[in-house]
Amino acid sequence: MLRLAVPFVLAAVLTGCSSKEPGTPSAGNQTGGTPTTGTSAGTAPVNRPKAVDLKTLDPCSLITPAAKTSLGLGVVEPGNPLPEYGDGSKRCNETYADHKYIANIHTLVNGGVDRLKKTTGEAKLTPLQVAGYPAYLTKTESPGSAGACEIYIDAHDEQLLLVTGVAGFGDKSATVDGACERAKALAEAAGAVLATK
């Protein structure tokens, strides 16, 4: 099982961050299409299609059979969650049929955007929108591969959905940019389903 060295995790470990505050549900319409707001990013309200408590979410449920086919995924299966992502975190592993890339979807339940910006460094994060959700992209090194691309989706206050694409192992044609293309497409597909939960 591949365990990526994630700057988000390393910084938390190196700074001895042991205080964890549980997230609180966002105010707003939790069942309709009206965007909900929260304060995950500090003082500014967060505009989301729907705030979803990731502690109750199976990340594999975000990949529909149609998305699996259209994304070229060969395998979608539960994986071992990483303890550094919080008690109750879950993981889903994806393998592409062409074997050039692999991917993971993690639920991070022990900190949101503020923590991400402090541990990864705001300068290393590229803001983007994923299926209507605020998100952040960063590229990282991944031992034994050409590198990884991580997309953090602000799904709920103090919780993030992490979609990681990793460039193939031993395949010279796999690149970090290719991993980012795959991660973005996977994040869009997962985010669209997330908004319906």
Side-chain angles (χ1 to χ4, degrees), residues 56-100:
T56 63
L57 177 77
D58 170 10
C60 287
S61 72
L62 299 177
I63 306 302
T64 65
K68 181 180 175 184
T69 300
S70 68
L71 293 170
L73 296 171
V75 177
V76 175
E77 62 187 4
N80 293 326
L82 300 180
E84 52 265 38
Y85 291 157
D87 188 31
S89 173
K90 296 176 188 72
R91 174 181 183 161
C92 185
N93 297 326
E94 297 82 30
T95 304
Y96 289 88
D98 65 8
H99 300 290
K100 289 184 179 181

Side-chain angles (χ1 to χ4, degrees), residues 6-12 15 108 112-126 136-140 150 152 160 162:
V6 181
F8 182 80
V9 174
L10 287 177
T15 58
L108 280 64
V113 172
D114 287 341
R115 181 176 177 196
L116 174 65
K117 288 180 178 179
K118 288 175 189 170
T119 57
T120 300
E122 199 163 349
K124 294 180 182 178
L125 297 169
T126 302
Y136 299 87
L137 181 147
T138 188
K139 296 176 182 178
T140 64
E150 300 170 340
Y152 295 87
L160 299 167
L162 169 59

